[in-house]
Amino acid sequence: MAEPTDRPASREPIDFTVETLGPCTVDSPLAPRLQARRTTQHYIEETDRVLFDDTLSKVSRREGDLEDLPSLEPTGPRKKIFFDPSKTRVGIVTCGGLCPGINNVIRGLVSELTTHYGVRRIYGFKNGYQGFVPRYGHDVVDLTPESVSGIDGEGGTILGTSRGQQDAAEVVDCLERMGISVLFVIGGDGTMRGAQKISAEIKARDLKIAVVGIPKTIDNDIPFIDQSFGFQSAFSEASRSIRSAKVEARTAPNGVSIVKLMGRHSGFIACYAALAQNDADFVLIPEVPFTLDGPGGFLQRLREKVATQGHALVVAAEGAGQELFDPADAAASLKDASGNKRLQDVGRLLRQAITDDFAAHDLELNMRYIDPSYVIRSVPANPYDAVYCIRLAHAAVHAAMAGRTNMVVGRWRRRFVHIPIALAVSDRNQVDPHGDLWWSVLEATGQPWSFGDFAAEQVTAFGGQ
Ligand code: ATP
Ligand code: MG
């Protein structure tokens, strides 16, 4: 599958340095087994790096020597590690919204830690960062290969999750009390900001506790990562809704189906689902603003489509069309428990606007509205994501055992790499409105670049990468 990242090559120097807790002096317990299998070449050389740029033109625009090229640390087992596995206690926590594959990651972590490194004490903290804070009273669960066996067949997370800020000092107090030296954090951007604060608190106390994140975002919006886990399962499931919506639309006179998909700030799921099930006539994403009314507006284009085709199918990402709402509206300032801005409901707005518009033009309308978001979030990972999750889990274990901290694992240019958390939360991966993914969507749907006032912003040359 093509890499669903539209991020243009950065020209600014980027610091990819990953923090370590100290020198690695312990022999990896993997060594004898890998040597026996004559696979010692599998070890990662500490000096090896994965290049950030993937084309000659990008590389040739850089200044300096070969070793000055921007590059990332590869994941994988090291010959020498930082922690002594027999004395290592590990914690795992999952936070934020659901995403296919979280249980696969948990199982992958537990089996790699126990089977390969011989770690014997692994604790699961319940309901996100709340699990560390005594006043919530959540139990801690022992995680063993037996207890996590089969959990990857289920969606969701066996550890539960939560939103809402927790004090990093209280989390570190708990880690200290329980003698935990490695913490794996599975979650989205907010979770990783939390992990960054926990790492800072650990450093301030001069403790040797590794914090390694496995970033979860169904929206695929983490920078420096080709694709986040669960994304493929999510858009595959979303494409089923598009197929059903198409059947609904075309079997009724003047049928109009709207499918609202996830994508608060990034329209990757809407774009990929629409391409996977090539039935959408319109795709609306947060990155491309549009207007409803007036000549060339969305409503006029929709009416034209229904007139010529007899029906129409609209796929809208939840963050699309936020510019259509009045910023002074009280609802615009609402936040969720974690402080994330609540989005206005573009689905409701579209439903109302289309109904009013068809009535104003004295046209029959058979509207179907489908919001499969919660169904999509909770599906189990598909086989592709299952493989991806387990490989991310293995990478995270190798990183943590080698004393890497304040970092996440990810895949860049199809190579597994270590990325400082600071970089992973520094920006947001978005569909480039002038890039080749959006261009493919326009080709597939036949829709213009945008509608109404924004249609004029269409670019003539698409700078795909
Ligand atoms: P997603 O948005 O994909 O559902 P997320 O990880 O961004 O996942 P949030 O609810 O924003 O979900 O955050 C999860 C947890 O991370 C919160 O419960 C909170 O404890 C912590 N957190 C969120 N934002 C911050 C922040 N800025 N600083 C410290 N901790 C944070
Ligand atoms: Mg978030």
Short mmCIF file of all heavy atoms in Angstrom, two decimals, residues 116-170:
data_model
loop_
_atom_site.label_atom_id
_atom_site.label_comp_id
_atom_site.label_asym_id
_atom_site.label_seq_id
_atom_site.Cartn_x
_atom_site.Cartn_y
_atom_site.Cartn_z
N HIS A 116 11.16 -13.45 25.03
CA HIS A 116 12.51 -13.19 24.56
C HIS A 116 13.44 -12.56 25.58
O HIS A 116 14.61 -12.86 25.62
CB HIS A 116 12.46 -12.35 23.28
CG HIS A 116 12.03 -13.17 22.10
ND1 HIS A 116 10.94 -12.85 21.34
CD2 HIS A 116 12.52 -14.31 21.60
CE1 HIS A 116 10.79 -13.79 20.41
NE2 HIS A 116 11.73 -14.67 20.55
N TYR A 117 12.89 -11.66 26.41
CA TYR A 117 13.79 -11.01 27.37
C TYR A 117 13.73 -11.66 28.76
O TYR A 117 14.59 -11.41 29.59
CB TYR A 117 13.47 -9.51 27.47
CG TYR A 117 14.05 -8.73 26.29
CD1 TYR A 117 13.28 -8.46 25.17
CD2 TYR A 117 15.37 -8.30 26.29
CE1 TYR A 117 13.81 -7.78 24.09
CE2 TYR A 117 15.91 -7.60 25.22
CZ TYR A 117 15.13 -7.34 24.12
OH TYR A 117 15.67 -6.66 23.06
N GLY A 118 12.69 -12.46 29.01
CA GLY A 118 12.61 -13.10 30.32
C GLY A 118 12.14 -12.17 31.42
O GLY A 118 12.40 -12.42 32.61
N VAL A 119 11.44 -11.09 31.06
CA VAL A 119 10.88 -10.21 32.09
C VAL A 119 9.70 -10.93 32.72
O VAL A 119 8.87 -11.52 32.02
CB VAL A 119 10.42 -8.87 31.45
CG1 VAL A 119 9.65 -8.03 32.45
CG2 VAL A 119 11.64 -8.10 30.93
N ARG A 120 9.64 -10.89 34.06
CA ARG A 120 8.62 -11.69 34.73
C ARG A 120 7.49 -10.88 35.34
O ARG A 120 6.45 -11.43 35.69
CB ARG A 120 9.27 -12.55 35.80
CG ARG A 120 10.12 -13.68 35.21
CD ARG A 120 10.57 -14.65 36.26
NE ARG A 120 11.56 -14.07 37.16
CZ ARG A 120 12.87 -14.10 36.94
NH1 ARG A 120 13.35 -14.67 35.85
NH2 ARG A 120 13.71 -13.55 37.80
N ARG A 121 7.72 -9.56 35.50
CA ARG A 121 6.67 -8.77 36.14
C ARG A 121 6.17 -7.66 35.21
O ARG A 121 6.89 -6.69 34.96
CB ARG A 121 7.16 -8.19 37.46
CG ARG A 121 7.07 -9.23 38.57
CD ARG A 121 8.08 -8.99 39.63
NE ARG A 121 9.44 -9.07 39.08
CZ ARG A 121 10.54 -9.11 39.82
NH1 ARG A 121 10.45 -9.07 41.11
NH2 ARG A 121 11.73 -9.18 39.26
N ILE A 122 4.97 -7.86 34.70
CA ILE A 122 4.37 -6.87 33.78
C ILE A 122 3.00 -6.51 34.33
O ILE A 122 2.17 -7.39 34.57
CB ILE A 122 4.23 -7.44 32.35
CG1 ILE A 122 5.56 -8.03 31.87
CG2 ILE A 122 3.74 -6.37 31.39
CD1 ILE A 122 5.47 -8.80 30.56
N TYR A 123 2.78 -5.22 34.55
CA TYR A 123 1.53 -4.77 35.14
C TYR A 123 0.74 -3.93 34.14
O TYR A 123 1.30 -3.05 33.49
CB TYR A 123 1.80 -3.91 36.39
CG TYR A 123 2.63 -4.64 37.41
CD1 TYR A 123 3.97 -4.30 37.61
CD2 TYR A 123 2.08 -5.67 38.17
CE1 TYR A 123 4.75 -4.98 38.53
CE2 TYR A 123 2.85 -6.35 39.10
CZ TYR A 123 4.18 -6.00 39.28
OH TYR A 123 4.94 -6.68 40.18
N GLY A 124 -0.55 -4.20 34.08
CA GLY A 124 -1.44 -3.39 33.26
C GLY A 124 -2.15 -2.39 34.15
O GLY A 124 -2.75 -2.77 35.17
N PHE A 125 -2.05 -1.10 33.80
CA PHE A 125 -2.75 -0.05 34.56
C PHE A 125 -4.08 0.22 33.88
O PHE A 125 -4.14 0.36 32.67
CB PHE A 125 -1.87 1.21 34.64
CG PHE A 125 -0.68 1.01 35.52
CD1 PHE A 125 0.49 0.46 35.00
CD2 PHE A 125 -0.76 1.31 36.86
CE1 PHE A 125 1.58 0.22 35.82
CE2 PHE A 125 0.34 1.07 37.69
CZ PHE A 125 1.51 0.53 37.18
N LYS A 126 -5.14 0.28 34.71
CA LYS A 126 -6.50 0.35 34.14
C LYS A 126 -6.94 1.78 33.90
O LYS A 126 -6.59 2.70 34.64
CB LYS A 126 -7.50 -0.33 35.10
CG LYS A 126 -7.23 -1.80 35.37
CD LYS A 126 -7.47 -2.70 34.17
CE LYS A 126 -8.90 -2.83 33.76
NZ LYS A 126 -9.68 -3.71 34.64
N ASN A 127 -7.74 1.92 32.84
CA ASN A 127 -8.40 3.20 32.52
C ASN A 127 -7.45 4.38 32.37
O ASN A 127 -7.60 5.43 33.02
CB ASN A 127 -9.48 3.52 33.56
CG ASN A 127 -10.56 2.47 33.53
OD1 ASN A 127 -10.59 1.60 34.40
ND2 ASN A 127 -11.40 2.49 32.51
N GLY A 128 -6.47 4.21 31.55
CA GLY A 128 -5.57 5.31 31.20
C GLY A 128 -4.74 5.77 32.38
O GLY A 128 -4.47 5.00 33.33
N TYR A 129 -4.37 7.04 32.35
CA TYR A 129 -3.50 7.57 33.41
C TYR A 129 -4.19 7.57 34.78
O TYR A 129 -3.53 7.66 35.81
CB TYR A 129 -3.01 8.98 33.05
CG TYR A 129 -2.00 9.01 31.91
CD1 TYR A 129 -2.16 9.87 30.83
CD2 TYR A 129 -0.88 8.19 31.92
CE1 TYR A 129 -1.23 9.89 29.78
CE2 TYR A 129 0.04 8.21 30.89
CZ TYR A 129 -0.14 9.06 29.82
OH TYR A 129 0.77 9.09 28.80
N GLN A 130 -5.52 7.44 34.79
CA GLN A 130 -6.21 7.31 36.09
C GLN A 130 -5.67 6.12 36.88
O GLN A 130 -5.65 6.14 38.10
CB GLN A 130 -7.71 7.05 35.85
CG GLN A 130 -8.52 8.24 35.46
CD GLN A 130 -10.01 7.90 35.38
OE1 GLN A 130 -10.42 6.78 35.71
NE2 GLN A 130 -10.80 8.85 34.94
N GLY A 131 -5.24 5.08 36.14
CA GLY A 131 -4.80 3.84 36.78
C GLY A 131 -3.62 4.03 37.74
O GLY A 131 -3.35 3.16 38.58
N PHE A 132 -2.90 5.14 37.60
CA PHE A 132 -1.74 5.38 38.48
C PHE A 132 -2.12 6.18 39.73
O PHE A 132 -1.32 6.32 40.64
CB PHE A 132 -0.66 6.19 37.72
CG PHE A 132 -0.12 5.45 36.52
CD1 PHE A 132 -0.65 5.68 35.26
CD2 PHE A 132 0.91 4.54 36.64
CE1 PHE A 132 -0.16 5.01 34.14
CE2 PHE A 132 1.41 3.86 35.55
CZ PHE A 132 0.86 4.09 34.29
N VAL A 133 -3.32 6.76 39.70
CA VAL A 133 -3.67 7.72 40.74
C VAL A 133 -4.54 7.05 41.79
O VAL A 133 -5.63 6.56 41.48
CB VAL A 133 -4.41 8.93 40.09
CG1 VAL A 133 -4.78 9.96 41.14
CG2 VAL A 133 -3.54 9.55 38.99
N PRO A 134 -4.04 7.00 43.06
CA PRO A 134 -4.73 6.20 44.08
C PRO A 134 -6.20 6.56 44.27
O PRO A 134 -7.03 5.67 44.50
CB PRO A 134 -3.93 6.50 45.36
CG PRO A 134 -2.59 6.97 44.88
CD PRO A 134 -2.80 7.61 43.56
N ARG A 135 -6.56 7.84 44.13
CA ARG A 135 -7.95 8.19 44.48
C ARG A 135 -8.99 7.55 43.55
O ARG A 135 -10.16 7.43 43.90
CB ARG A 135 -8.15 9.71 44.54
CG ARG A 135 -8.11 10.43 43.23
CD ARG A 135 -8.48 11.92 43.40
NE ARG A 135 -8.35 12.58 42.12
CZ ARG A 135 -7.21 12.99 41.59
NH1 ARG A 135 -6.06 12.80 42.24
NH2 ARG A 135 -7.17 13.56 40.40
N TYR A 136 -8.57 7.09 42.38
CA TYR A 136 -9.53 6.42 41.49
C TYR A 136 -9.75 4.95 41.89
O TYR A 136 -10.73 4.33 41.50
CB TYR A 136 -9.06 6.48 40.03
CG TYR A 136 -9.10 7.87 39.44
CD1 TYR A 136 -7.95 8.64 39.33
CD2 TYR A 136 -10.31 8.42 39.01
CE1 TYR A 136 -7.98 9.91 38.81
CE2 TYR A 136 -10.36 9.71 38.48
CZ TYR A 136 -9.19 10.45 38.38
OH TYR A 136 -9.23 11.71 37.87
N GLY A 137 -8.80 4.39 42.62
CA GLY A 137 -8.98 3.03 43.15
C GLY A 137 -9.00 1.92 42.11
O GLY A 137 -9.57 0.85 42.35
N HIS A 138 -8.40 2.16 40.93
CA HIS A 138 -8.41 1.08 39.92
C HIS A 138 -7.38 0.00 40.28
O HIS A 138 -6.27 0.31 40.70
CB HIS A 138 -8.05 1.64 38.53
CG HIS A 138 -9.02 2.65 38.00
ND1 HIS A 138 -10.37 2.43 37.97
CD2 HIS A 138 -8.83 3.90 37.49
CE1 HIS A 138 -10.98 3.48 37.46
NE2 HIS A 138 -10.07 4.40 37.16
N ASP A 139 -7.79 -1.25 40.05
CA ASP A 139 -6.85 -2.37 40.28
C ASP A 139 -5.74 -2.35 39.24
O ASP A 139 -5.92 -1.88 38.13
CB ASP A 139 -7.58 -3.71 40.10
CG ASP A 139 -8.53 -3.97 41.25
OD1 ASP A 139 -8.34 -3.34 42.29
OD2 ASP A 139 -9.46 -4.77 41.03
N VAL A 140 -4.60 -2.95 39.63
CA VAL A 140 -3.53 -3.18 38.66
C VAL A 140 -3.61 -4.65 38.28
O VAL A 140 -3.84 -5.49 39.15
CB VAL A 140 -2.16 -2.85 39.29
CG1 VAL A 140 -1.02 -3.27 38.37
CG2 VAL A 140 -2.05 -1.37 39.60
N VAL A 141 -3.48 -4.97 36.99
CA VAL A 141 -3.60 -6.39 36.61
C VAL A 141 -2.25 -6.95 36.18
O VAL A 141 -1.44 -6.26 35.55
CB VAL A 141 -4.62 -6.60 35.46
CG1 VAL A 141 -6.03 -6.37 35.94
CG2 VAL A 141 -4.32 -5.71 34.26
N ASP A 142 -2.00 -8.19 36.58
CA ASP A 142 -0.79 -8.89 36.11
C ASP A 142 -1.01 -9.32 34.67
O ASP A 142 -2.03 -9.93 34.36
CB ASP A 142 -0.55 -10.14 36.95
CG ASP A 142 -0.04 -9.79 38.33
OD1 ASP A 142 0.72 -8.83 38.44
OD2 ASP A 142 -0.45 -10.47 39.29
N LEU A 143 -0.04 -9.00 33.83
CA LEU A 143 -0.14 -9.42 32.43
C LEU A 143 0.87 -10.53 32.17
O LEU A 143 2.07 -10.37 32.45
CB LEU A 143 0.12 -8.22 31.50
CG LEU A 143 -0.90 -7.08 31.59
CD1 LEU A 143 -0.47 -5.90 30.73
CD2 LEU A 143 -2.30 -7.54 31.20
N THR A 144 0.36 -11.64 31.67
CA THR A 144 1.22 -12.78 31.33
C THR A 144 0.85 -13.24 29.92
O THR A 144 -0.24 -12.90 29.43
CB THR A 144 0.96 -13.97 32.29
OG1 THR A 144 -0.41 -14.37 32.12
CG2 THR A 144 1.23 -13.60 33.74
N PRO A 145 1.71 -14.04 29.29
CA PRO A 145 1.35 -14.54 27.96
C PRO A 145 0.00 -15.26 27.99
O PRO A 145 -0.78 -15.17 27.05
CB PRO A 145 2.50 -15.50 27.61
CG PRO A 145 3.66 -14.97 28.37
CD PRO A 145 3.09 -14.43 29.66
N GLU A 146 -0.30 -15.94 29.10
CA GLU A 146 -1.58 -16.66 29.17
C GLU A 146 -2.73 -15.66 29.28
O GLU A 146 -3.76 -15.81 28.62
CB GLU A 146 -1.62 -17.58 30.40
CG GLU A 146 -0.61 -18.72 30.38
CD GLU A 146 0.84 -18.25 30.58
OE1 GLU A 146 1.06 -17.33 31.40
OE2 GLU A 146 1.75 -18.78 29.91
N SER A 147 -2.55 -14.64 30.12
CA SER A 147 -3.69 -13.72 30.34
C SER A 147 -3.99 -12.87 29.10
O SER A 147 -5.09 -12.37 28.96
CB SER A 147 -3.45 -12.83 31.56
OG SER A 147 -2.47 -11.85 31.29
N VAL A 148 -3.01 -12.70 28.22
CA VAL A 148 -3.27 -11.89 27.02
C VAL A 148 -3.50 -12.76 25.78
O VAL A 148 -3.74 -12.23 24.70
CB VAL A 148 -2.13 -10.87 26.74
CG1 VAL A 148 -2.01 -9.88 27.87
CG2 VAL A 148 -0.80 -11.58 26.47
N SER A 149 -3.49 -14.06 25.98
CA SER A 149 -3.70 -14.95 24.84
C SER A 149 -5.09 -14.72 24.24
O SER A 149 -6.09 -14.72 24.96
CB SER A 149 -3.54 -16.40 25.31
OG SER A 149 -3.97 -17.26 24.31
N GLY A 150 -5.15 -14.48 22.97
CA GLY A 150 -6.44 -14.33 22.28
C GLY A 150 -7.06 -12.95 22.33
O GLY A 150 -8.05 -12.69 21.66
N ILE A 151 -6.46 -12.03 23.10
CA ILE A 151 -7.10 -10.70 23.20
C ILE A 151 -7.05 -9.95 21.88
O ILE A 151 -7.83 -9.03 21.63
CB ILE A 151 -6.47 -9.81 24.31
CG1 ILE A 151 -4.99 -9.50 24.01
CG2 ILE A 151 -6.64 -10.43 25.67
CD1 ILE A 151 -4.42 -8.40 24.91
N ASP A 152 -6.12 -10.35 21.01
CA ASP A 152 -5.98 -9.63 19.74
C ASP A 152 -7.13 -9.92 18.77
O ASP A 152 -7.26 -9.24 17.76
CB ASP A 152 -4.62 -9.91 19.07
CG ASP A 152 -4.18 -11.35 19.25
OD1 ASP A 152 -4.86 -12.10 19.96
OD2 ASP A 152 -3.16 -11.74 18.66
N GLY A 153 -7.97 -10.89 19.12
CA GLY A 153 -9.16 -11.14 18.28
C GLY A 153 -10.27 -10.16 18.59
O GLY A 153 -11.26 -10.08 17.88
N GLU A 154 -10.10 -9.39 19.66
CA GLU A 154 -11.15 -8.46 20.09
C GLU A 154 -10.72 -7.03 19.83
O GLU A 154 -9.55 -6.69 19.95
CB GLU A 154 -11.37 -8.60 21.61
CG GLU A 154 -11.88 -9.94 22.04
CD GLU A 154 -13.30 -10.19 21.56
OE1 GLU A 154 -14.10 -9.24 21.53
OE2 GLU A 154 -13.58 -11.34 21.17
N GLY A 155 -11.70 -6.17 19.53
CA GLY A 155 -11.40 -4.74 19.42
C GLY A 155 -11.27 -4.13 20.81
O GLY A 155 -11.33 -4.84 21.82
N GLY A 156 -11.07 -2.82 20.88
CA GLY A 156 -10.98 -2.12 22.16
C GLY A 156 -9.66 -2.36 22.86
O GLY A 156 -8.64 -2.67 22.22
N THR A 157 -9.66 -2.21 24.19
CA THR A 157 -8.45 -2.46 24.98
C THR A 157 -8.84 -3.18 26.26
O THR A 157 -9.77 -2.72 26.96
CB THR A 157 -7.68 -1.17 25.31
OG1 THR A 157 -6.86 -1.40 26.46
CG2 THR A 157 -8.58 0.03 25.58
N ILE A 158 -8.16 -4.25 26.58
CA ILE A 158 -8.50 -4.98 27.81
C ILE A 158 -8.19 -4.15 29.05
O ILE A 158 -8.69 -4.44 30.13
CB ILE A 158 -7.74 -6.33 27.93
CG1 ILE A 158 -6.22 -6.13 27.83
CG2 ILE A 158 -8.26 -7.35 26.93
CD1 ILE A 158 -5.44 -7.25 28.48
N LEU A 159 -7.38 -3.11 28.89
CA LEU A 159 -7.01 -2.30 30.06
C LEU A 159 -7.97 -1.14 30.29
O LEU A 159 -7.89 -0.46 31.31
CB LEU A 159 -5.58 -1.77 29.89
CG LEU A 159 -4.49 -2.84 29.84
CD1 LEU A 159 -3.13 -2.21 29.62
CD2 LEU A 159 -4.49 -3.66 31.14
N GLY A 160 -8.88 -0.89 29.35
CA GLY A 160 -9.75 0.27 29.47
C GLY A 160 -8.97 1.54 29.19
O GLY A 160 -7.74 1.52 29.04
N THR A 161 -9.68 2.64 29.15
CA THR A 161 -9.03 3.90 28.79
C THR A 161 -9.80 5.03 29.46
O THR A 161 -10.82 4.80 30.10
CB THR A 161 -9.00 4.03 27.25
OG1 THR A 161 -8.56 5.33 26.91
CG2 THR A 161 -10.35 3.80 26.60
N SER A 162 -9.29 6.23 29.37
CA SER A 162 -10.02 7.40 29.92
C SER A 162 -9.46 8.66 29.30
O SER A 162 -8.41 8.65 28.68
CB SER A 162 -9.83 7.46 31.44
OG SER A 162 -8.48 7.76 31.77
N ARG A 163 -10.20 9.72 29.47
CA ARG A 163 -9.71 11.05 29.11
C ARG A 163 -9.59 11.86 30.40
O ARG A 163 -9.95 11.39 31.48
CB ARG A 163 -10.67 11.73 28.14
CG ARG A 163 -10.78 11.02 26.80
CD ARG A 163 -11.40 11.93 25.77
NE ARG A 163 -11.71 11.20 24.55
CZ ARG A 163 -10.85 10.99 23.55
NH1 ARG A 163 -9.62 11.45 23.62
NH2 ARG A 163 -11.22 10.33 22.48
N GLY A 164 -9.11 13.09 30.31
CA GLY A 164 -8.98 13.93 31.50
C GLY A 164 -7.54 13.95 31.98
O GLY A 164 -6.86 12.94 31.98
N GLN A 165 -7.11 15.15 32.37
CA GLN A 165 -5.71 15.35 32.76
C GLN A 165 -5.39 14.68 34.09
O GLN A 165 -6.22 14.72 35.00
CB GLN A 165 -5.43 16.85 32.92
CG GLN A 165 -5.63 17.66 31.65
CD GLN A 165 -4.42 17.62 30.74
OE1 GLN A 165 -3.34 17.22 31.15
NE2 GLN A 165 -4.60 18.02 29.49
N GLN A 166 -4.21 14.10 34.17
CA GLN A 166 -3.72 13.58 35.46
C GLN A 166 -2.35 14.22 35.71
O GLN A 166 -1.65 14.59 34.78
CB GLN A 166 -3.59 12.05 35.44
CG GLN A 166 -4.86 11.31 35.03
CD GLN A 166 -6.06 11.61 35.93
OE1 GLN A 166 -5.88 11.98 37.10
NE2 GLN A 166 -7.25 11.48 35.39
N ASP A 167 -2.02 14.30 36.99
CA ASP A 167 -0.77 14.96 37.38
C ASP A 167 0.41 14.01 37.15
O ASP A 167 0.42 12.90 37.70
CB ASP A 167 -0.91 15.33 38.87
CG ASP A 167 0.30 16.08 39.38
OD1 ASP A 167 1.17 16.42 38.55
OD2 ASP A 167 0.37 16.31 40.61
N ALA A 168 1.40 14.46 36.36
CA ALA A 168 2.56 13.61 36.05
C ALA A 168 3.28 13.19 37.35
O ALA A 168 3.80 12.07 37.45
CB ALA A 168 3.51 14.34 35.12
N ALA A 169 3.30 14.07 38.33
CA ALA A 169 4.00 13.75 39.59
C ALA A 169 3.33 12.55 40.27
O ALA A 169 4.01 11.67 40.82
CB ALA A 169 3.99 14.97 40.52
N GLU A 170 2.00 12.51 40.21
CA GLU A 170 1.29 11.37 40.84
C GLU A 170 1.57 10.07 40.09
O GLU A 170 1.67 9.00 40.69
CB GLU A 170 -0.21 11.63 40.88
CG GLU A 170 -0.61 12.65 41.90
CD GLU A 170 -2.11 12.66 42.14
OE1 GLU A 170 -2.59 11.84 42.93
OE2 GLU A 170 -2.80 13.50 41.52
#
